Amino acid sequence: MSTPTATAATKDWRYAVLGNPVAHSRSPFIHEAFARQCGLPISYERVLSPLEGFEATLRAFAAAGGRGVNVTVPFKFQALELAARRSARALLAGAANVLKLDEAEGWLADNTDGVGLVRDIERNAGVALAGRRVLLLGAGGAAAGALGPIIAAGPAQVVLANRTRPNAERVAAAHAAWADQHRVLLAVSGFEDAGAGFDIVVNATSSSLAGAAVPVPARVLAPGALALDMMYGAAAEPFLRWAREAGATARDGLGMLVEQAAEAFMVFRGVLPQAAPVLAALRAGLAAESADAGAGAGAEARMGADASMGAGAGAKA
């Protein structure tokens, strides 16, 4: 899943995922797959930005011919501020995960996180949001991007829970009129007083990335609830295990990642690719990687046991 070296045919179509950390990102694989599917050239890379150097890193990439970036943690709020133009969904979120850099009118900021999340929940997981009770954990850029499209899908209630309540209140206030327009009850809480019995729980906190415990008690899950972590791979496993043990349907963020990337590709190139085959290929690749890692760990354990047995035999002799 590594990024191929740019050729003469692709060097003029340079894109990247920009964040910190970024080494884990599957975005190069996804966008290259979309480009092949659509018959379009692309060069896509990972760009690590210093925490205090996002603007400088972004401007250097643009000056070197970069046409667009997918922005990941922790730069989504800052990305919006640097754009000359902002889409309606980026303005509603107050954050951007997409910057189109090749616009004559100036950089365009957009937010595809929420669209990707809703598509994954409704299309891929087969769970309708309409009329449901939704708990959204976190108040950072990912949660801010997700909230607007979640509300637009028509749930009965959305509770935005965060460890720092004022941050959640700020995000909720920006969406208050949107929630009223869609007749959705929007509330704010801390983690411990979030309530109970939600049909859908979405973890948009950085707890999984940091390896921290799930920030809410299991009572937030209704029987048979869908519990989705925006992370994927090993980082999502503690949350997914917690959800399964509580009787919920556990889902990682891989589908959201691919669906939001498809929408971002549309922003960049004007073509909406098919997400399903890319998601299937990505899951298969990750499963193979996991199996290889497990086999390697098993081989190391066996070699260690053999070494111990040999050492024991030598001592007896």
Side-chain angles (χ1 to χ4, degrees):
M1 294 185 184
S2 60
T3 309
T5 303
T7 65
T10 64
K11 67 180 181 179
D12 292 333
W13 297 96
R14 188 180 175 200
Y15 298 88
V17 55
L18 198 159
N20 187 331
V22 78
H24 67 286
S25 177
R26 304 289 173 166
S27 291
F29 174 87
I30 295 168
H31 281 266
E32 288 163 6
F34 287 156
R36 287 193 298 271
Q37 184 187 116
C38 298
L40 297 172
I42 196 169
S43 170
Y44 197 103
E45 60 202 86
R46 300 177 184 89
V47 176
L48 176 67
S49 171
L51 293 176
E52 302 301 325
F54 174 71
E55 181 175 357
T57 303
L58 177 62
R59 292 194 182 282
F61 180 76
R67 287 176 172 259
V69 293
N70 296 102
V71 181
T72 186
V73 292
F75 302 120
K76 294 183 180 184
F77 291 119
Q78 193 174 352
L80 183 73
E81 297 171 359
L82 294 175
R85 297 184 301 133
R86 305 169 178 106
S87 71
R89 55 193 178 188
L91 285 171
L92 179 62
N97 72 321
V98 175
L99 284 172
K100 193 170 188 289
L101 308 176
D102 57 357
E103 295 285 284
E105 301 86 352
W107 294 352
L108 170 67
D110 203 348
N111 197 306
T112 64
D113 278 338
V115 171
L117 175 64
V118 170
R119 284 180 184 166
D120 185 54
I121 290 173
E122 297 200 323
R123 294 183 185 179
N124 301 331
V127 177
L129 282 155
R132 304 297 182 97
R133 296 182 68 236
V134 179
L135 176 62
L136 178 60
L137 306 177
L147 185 54
I150 288 175
I151 291 171
Q157 180 189 28
V158 178
V159 174
L160 183 63
N162 196 52
R163 191 177 310 280
T164 307
R165 191 179 179 114
N167 290 349
E169 290 172 344
R170 173 183 51 79
V171 173
H175 290 78
W178 186 249
D180 288 344
Q181 179 182 335
H182 290 84
R183 298 182 179 180
V184 174
L185 178 61
L186 177 61
V188 170
S189 77
F191 287 144
E192 289 300 323
D193 61 343
F198 290 91
D199 303 301
I200 299 167
V201 176
V202 177
N203 184 22
T205 72
S206 58
S207 62
S208 295
L209 197 60
V214 177
V216 290
R219 66 174 179 269
V220 301
L221 296 164
L226 173 67
L228 185 149
D229 195 318
M230 288 189 178
M231 301 306 297
Y232 56 90
E237 275 307 313
F239 180 89
L240 301 181
R241 185 167 54 251
W242 167 82
R244 293 188 195 103
E245 290 174 353
T249 298
R251 187 171 184 82
D252 66 11
L254 207 60
M256 173 188 172
L257 175 69
V258 175
E259 293 287 358
Q260 68 79 24
E263 187 72 9
F265 193 90
M266 174 71 176
V267 174
F268 290 148
R269 310 302 291 270
V271 180
L272 183 64
Q274 296 179 27
V278 178
L279 176 57
L282 189 56
R283 285 207 184 279
L286 289 174
E289 289 179 10
S290 179
D292 289 345
E300 289 178 8
R302 288 192 298 274
M303 288 180 3
D306 290 344
S308 297
M309 291 173 64
K316 290 175 184 177

